[in-house]
Amino acid sequence: MERKINRRETECEEKHSNSEGSEQDKDYKTSLITLNVGGYLYITQKQTLTKYPDSFLEGIINGKIMCPFDADGHYFIDRDGLLFRHILNFLRNGELLLPEGFRENQLLAQEAEFFQLKALSDAVKSRWEKEQLASRETTFLEITDSHDRSQGLRIFCNAPDFIAKIKSRIVLVSKSRLDGFPEEFSVSSNIIQFKYFIKSENGTRLVLKEDNTFVCTLETLKFEAIMMALKCGFRLLTSLDCSKGSIVHSDALHFIK
């Protein structure tokens, strides 16, 4: 008799446990929302879409705003499906994080306005203003001989972030060829000064170590700068010193996007 009672109790406990597990699974599944935005499917959690009260997405999920469904029963929103990834990332992270070289600020601002996300609109506006300010500022990088600053190469560009990137690349190239780094050259905000940056007999400027070991030519550094600029979408306007006759022999390069 006791065995039968214990068995029934065990069966009841198992049924109760399975019932709770199925309820939890059901709750978890209902917390996942699939959106069809302009033909692109996005799956996220309900709490992500309802993070900002009174937003368009919060209104849809909580039934405040009517939204059509696609053939598969997903919410359909007739907006830019590619740009929506940035909307969703903003909801997830709470900050605007965009890929390098992003150039669709105006479109993203329109999407932020449509989805009624003021915090995102403000973030896009702030980013746009910073980019506009930076585009009006021409900055430069100077590569010179520590004994004679009139000799060397100057790189001008209206994008400070590119100057920082190209400086890092040139330092990396030089560091890979100089055993005594950083003694062989010093780096400041806009200047790279080589300790042994002298002319050879045929007029080509060379970077040499104290023992006259060949390191690299100035033309190599120019080539690095030009290739990086072209890959990043910049245009080489012209050599600022056209009297040299060619880019290779110029003392300055001017890039603009």
Side-chain angles (χ1 to χ4, degrees):
M1 190 73 171
E2 283 184 19
R3 288 182 180 177
K4 288 183 179 180
I5 293 173
N6 290 337
R7 187 181 300 169
R8 287 178 182 175
E9 289 178 349
T10 302
E11 288 176 354
C12 289
E13 287 177 359
E14 287 178 352
K15 288 181 181 179
H16 181 68
S17 177
N18 291 334
S19 176
E20 285 185 347
S22 62
E23 286 295 325
Q24 289 178 352
D25 290 342
K26 185 177 180 181
D27 290 341
Y28 179 73
K29 289 178 180 178
T30 55
S31 71
L32 295 180
I33 307 293
T34 301
L35 300 176
N36 181 341
V37 184
Y40 291 82
L41 295 182
Y42 292 89
I43 301 176
T44 187
Q45 295 186 74
K46 180 179 179 180
Q47 63 189 44
T48 300
L49 298 175
T50 57
K51 185 174 183 179
Y52 289 88
D54 300 325
S55 69
F56 181 81
L57 292 169
E58 185 270 338
I60 288 177
I61 302 304
N62 289 330
K64 302 175 187 176
I65 299 175
M66 296 296 294
C67 180
F69 296 91
D70 65 10
D72 296 317
H74 306 313
Y75 290 106
F76 177 76
I77 304 174
D78 191 16
R79 301 300 295 185
D80 192 318
L82 286 174
L83 279 179
F84 187 74
R85 65 183 280 244
H86 305 305
I87 304 288
L88 193 54
N89 282 333
F90 177 79
L91 293 175
R92 290 166 174 161
N93 302 316
E95 60 179 321
L96 181 60
L97 300 172
L98 296 173
E100 184 178 348
F102 183 81
R103 289 288 179 270
E104 297 184 302
N105 290 301
Q106 289 180 307
L107 287 175
L108 185 56
Q110 289 181 347
E111 296 303 295
E113 183 177 348
F114 173 83
F115 287 103
Q116 300 170 22
L117 293 166
K118 186 178 183 304
L120 177 57
S121 295
D122 292 342
V124 175
K125 181 180 178 182
S126 176
R127 183 180 189 274
W128 173 257
E129 289 175 348
K130 288 180 181 178
E131 285 188 353
Q132 291 297 303
L133 180 62
S135 66
R136 292 192 292 268
E137 296 177 353
T138 299
T139 188
F140 72 95
L141 175 65
E142 187 175 328
I143 306 169
T144 68
D145 182 347
S146 60
H147 303 294
D148 184 2
R149 289 188 60 181
S150 66
Q151 301 295 330
L153 171 66
R154 290 165 185 79
I155 300 171
F156 295 84
C157 182
N158 63 342
D161 58 336
F162 175 71
I163 288 294
K165 180 184 292 187
I166 203 166
K167 181 175 72 173
S168 298
R169 175 60 182 164
I170 289 176
V171 167
L172 181 64
V173 170
S174 303
K175 182 178 178 180
S176 67
R177 305 188 183 200
L178 291 168
D179 296 332
F181 179 82
E183 290 78 8
E184 302 295 346
F185 65 91
S186 60
V187 181
S188 63
S189 58
N190 291 93
I191 299 175
I192 301 176
Q193 286 190 333
F194 283 88
K195 187 176 180 181
Y196 305 106
F197 194 44
I198 60 177
K199 279 189 176 181
S200 65
E201 293 181 358
N202 62 5
T204 304
R205 294 187 59 78
L206 304 176
V207 180
L208 302 176
K209 291 181 66 176
E210 192 172 16
D211 59 0
N212 290 332
T213 302
F214 173 77
V215 180
C216 65
T217 65
L218 183 60
E219 283 66 37
T220 299
L221 303 183
K222 290 179 185 178
F223 180 76
E224 287 286 339
I226 293 171
M227 291 305 296
M228 282 188 64
L230 295 179
K231 286 181 180 179
C232 292
F234 289 90
R235 292 182 294 115
L236 176 62
L237 285 185
T238 181
S239 158
L240 294 186
D241 184 1
C242 297
S243 63
K244 298 295 182 180
S246 72
I247 295 173
V248 174
H249 297 99
S250 66
D251 293 332
L253 302 172
H254 193 177
F255 300 107
I256 193 169
K257 183 171 285 189

